[in-house]
Structures are given as structure tokens and as C-alpha cells.
Amino acid sequence: EREVIVNFLSHIKGSRVTVTVPVKGEKKQLVELAYKNASITFEQFGEKIKRDNARTKGAFEQISNALGLEKVPVRVEAYDISDIQGFFSVGAMVVFENGKPKRSDYRKFKIKTVAGANDFASMQEVLTRRINHGIKDGMDKKESGFARLPDLILMDGGKPQVKAAELVLNSFGLNIPVCGMFKDDRHRTKGLLFNGEEIYLPSNSEGFKLVTRIQDEVHRFAIEYHRKLRETAQVDSILNHIPTIGETRRKALLRHFGDIEKIKRAEVSELLEVEGMNIKSAETVYSFFRQENPEMK
């Protein structure tokens, strides 16, 4: 097929290309070396694909076998609740497809209907809102992260969290397997809770490692969102007490400096660089933080 290759390469180059096959000497050795290097690279690439499949799809197969599921899940959603003594309660949802995180489908939930620390009710609210979104987006034929329901749900927690999810799924007439991801005394992933039984995967297995990654990921995602809400609320509460500084200027200050500590340390000249600030408002902000913290004067 030399002529086909010649025509193809000539078309790309825009001028005639010659293909030669050396049969002896230095050029033949060079071709053999290139062939050998390509073969080694191809073998290494193949091994990498095998390792990646073991960590992702293969891990899902191990989890599926351990749970006794009829089919290997493709889409898995994990949920966690984060709060501090019931304040700023939030829910988090992370998605893994074919064993890999699908970050575009991650979702955050600010708890709206539950007062105080109540993981059971908070989890029910999160799951209910998620499924309602999925039903609505499905009816509207939207290609959103909510439109497709999961093949398996993992809850960060034990029996209460699993029960909360099962009650919500039953209310919608959905039959989706639910597992709890429980931890040991050192707060490390220990196993899965499924149909009232504790399921243990070998700690060196890819399935166990994937469960650990999923649990760590959903916990991280929930904590980050909770921390962001808490910090925003703290910043807003402080800036709300500065005379003559309204919502527009508060937002402009946060956009410009990024956090409250930088606003506290800013000089009048730096405050004047903020959009919408004049000399009076800049001096007001400057004086406010030095009255609050005399050591900054």
C-alpha cells in the first residue's frame, strides 16, 4: 500500500513525498530501532490502559460482585451532609461514571426545610430535591446532570442515612440500590452497609480503594461548600456594620480584595482603587477596622 501512503502524505505536505524502505546499513538499523521503540511504547500504553480499567470499571465490578447486584453500575452518586451544630447545613452530591469522577455533574444543596442538626431529615430533603430535578429535567428533555438517575447510591454514613434515602426512593417508586459508607474509629473508610449487612472489601482491592476515594471526595466537596457559606456569612456580618457602606460597595470590596483580612489591612489609597469607592467611603472603611482593631493603627 505504498502508493496510498505516498498520496496521503503528499496531500498533507502539499508536495511529492518519497517513501523508501532501507534493506541494509545504518538506515535499516535506524528503522529497526524506531520499530522496537514503538513496540515498547505500545506495550506500556496497553499496560496503562489495563491499570486504569482495574482502578475504574474493574473496581465497580468488584463492588457490584460484593453487593450481589444484577448488573455493574455505570453511574454512581454519593451524598454527604455537613453542618456545625445545625448551622449552615449543606448537602453535597458527587458523581462517578465508569469509576471516574464526573465533576460537571457535582451538585451542592443549601438545606432549606430542616432546622438544627438533623442528618436524617437533611438527607431526605437533598434526595427529594435531586429526584424532583431529575424528573423535571427528564420531562423537559434537558441534558443536565440531574436528568439521568444513578445505578447505585452511596451515602456517607450508616443505617440512618441509608434509611433516609430508601424512604425517599420508595416515595417515588424507584428501585435504586443504596449503600452506606461507614468508617472505623480512626475515621477511615471501613466498609459498605447494604440491605442491613456490613460488606467488607479487601483493603488492598481496587473496589475498596474506589469506595475510599468516593467517600473522601463527597466529604471534601461538602466541607468546602459549608466553609464557603460560613465565611461568606461572617464577612457579610462584619461589612454590614460599616456605616454608609451598602450592598454594592460590600460586593465590590470582596471582588477586589478576595477576603476580609485583606480589606482590614488595606490603606486608604488601596481602598480607593475599588470600583464605586470615593474618599469618604474609603476613609470610613479604613477607620472602622482600626477602631475594631487598635493594634492595626
Side-chain angles (χ1 to χ4, degrees):
E1 299 179 346
R2 179 184 301 189
E3 193 60 31
V4 175
I5 296 173
V6 167
N7 290 337
F8 174 69
L9 294 177
S10 298
H11 175 74
I12 293 175
K13 185 181 179 184
S15 60
R16 184 67 178 175
V17 171
T18 301
V19 174
T20 60
V21 182
V23 295
K24 63 179 181 178
E26 185 179 340
K27 290 184 178 179
K28 184 176 185 298
Q29 292 175 357
L30 187 61
V31 170
E32 290 174 346
L33 179 62
Y35 179 82
K36 183 178 179 181
N37 289 342
S39 298
I40 293 172
T41 301
F42 184 75
E43 289 177 8
Q44 293 174 341
F45 183 67
E47 289 301 317
K48 183 179 183 299
I49 291 175
K50 290 179 182 178
R51 290 195 300 270
D52 289 345
N53 279 336
R55 294 179 69 251
T56 54
K57 293 180 181 179
F60 267 3
E61 289 176 5
Q62 291 179 4
I63 295 169
S64 178
N65 291 335
L67 300 177
L69 301 180
E70 293 182 0
K71 64 176 183 177
V72 178
V74 175
R75 180 185 176 94
V76 173
E77 293 180 3
Y79 294 85
D80 189 18
I81 300 295
S82 179
D83 65 61
I84 296 180
Q85 297 179 342
F87 291 99
F88 304 110
S89 293
V90 300
M93 167 184 130
V94 302
V95 179
F96 278 65
E97 283 194 359
N98 292 314
K100 298 179 181 179
K102 190 177 182 183
R103 293 183 175 82
S104 61
D105 284 3
Y106 285 17
R107 293 293 183 270
K108 298 174 287 189
F109 302 83
K110 187 185 294 185
I111 303 302
K112 299 177 180 179
T113 63
V114 181
N118 189 334
D119 278 9
F120 187 91
S122 297
M123 197 63 80
Q124 284 190 305
E125 179 188 325
V126 168
L127 261 295
T128 299
R129 287 165 58 186
R130 183 266 177 269
I131 294 171
N132 276 327
H133 272 297
I135 293 172
K136 183 178 183 300
D137 289 355
M139 292 176 61
D140 294 342
K141 296 182 179 179
K142 292 182 179 178
E143 295 295 328
S144 72
F146 280 130
R148 182 181 173 190
L149 295 177
D151 303 309
L152 174 67
I153 292 176
L154 299 177
M155 312 296 288
D156 186 37
K159 291 182 179 179
Q161 287 77 11
V162 171
K163 186 64 176 177
E166 289 176 341
L167 288 173
V168 172
L169 292 173
N170 289 338
S171 70
F172 283 95
L174 295 172
N175 184 24
I176 300 173
V178 181
C179 288
M181 299 179 290
F182 61 92
K183 297 183 177 182
D184 60 20
D185 294 337
R186 297 184 180 181
H187 213 61
R188 297 178 301 188
T189 302
K190 187 176 182 181
L192 296 171
L193 183 68
F194 185 57
N195 289 338
E197 297 184 12
E198 293 183 356
I199 309 294
Y200 297 96
L201 293 159
S203 59
N204 62 345
S205 68
E206 294 298 341
F208 179 83
K209 293 175 184 177
L210 180 57
V211 171
T212 301
R213 289 198 298 274
I214 293 173
Q215 188 171 29
D216 290 345
E217 178 72 350
V218 71
H219 186 66
R220 176 199 65 78
F221 194 54
I223 289 294
E224 282 185 359
Y225 183 44
H226 182 267
R227 185 182 295 120
K228 181 180 179 180
L229 287 182
R230 191 172 71 247
E231 289 174 351
T232 300
Q234 290 172 346
V235 168
D236 284 346
S237 65
I238 294 173
L239 296 182
N240 282 341
H241 289 86
I242 305 177
T244 73
I245 301 300
E247 182 179 356
T248 300
R249 282 175 174 159
R250 286 199 300 270
K251 289 182 178 178
L253 284 165
L254 288 172
R255 279 197 305 268
H256 185 86
F257 289 101
D259 61 61
I260 194 68
E261 291 303 319
K262 291 181 180 178
I263 298 175
K264 286 181 179 180
R265 295 193 297 269
E267 298 293 330
V268 172
S269 59
E270 295 173 308
L271 292 165
L272 279 171
E273 295 175 3
V274 178
E275 182 181 357
M277 294 288 282
N278 54 34
I279 185 65
K280 183 177 180 181
S281 58
E283 288 177 344
T284 299
V285 174
Y286 179 85
S287 300
F288 174 83
F289 284 115
R290 277 141 189 86
Q291 289 169 0
E292 290 285 314
N293 301 280
E295 67 275 9
M296 294 178 65
K297 291 183 178 179

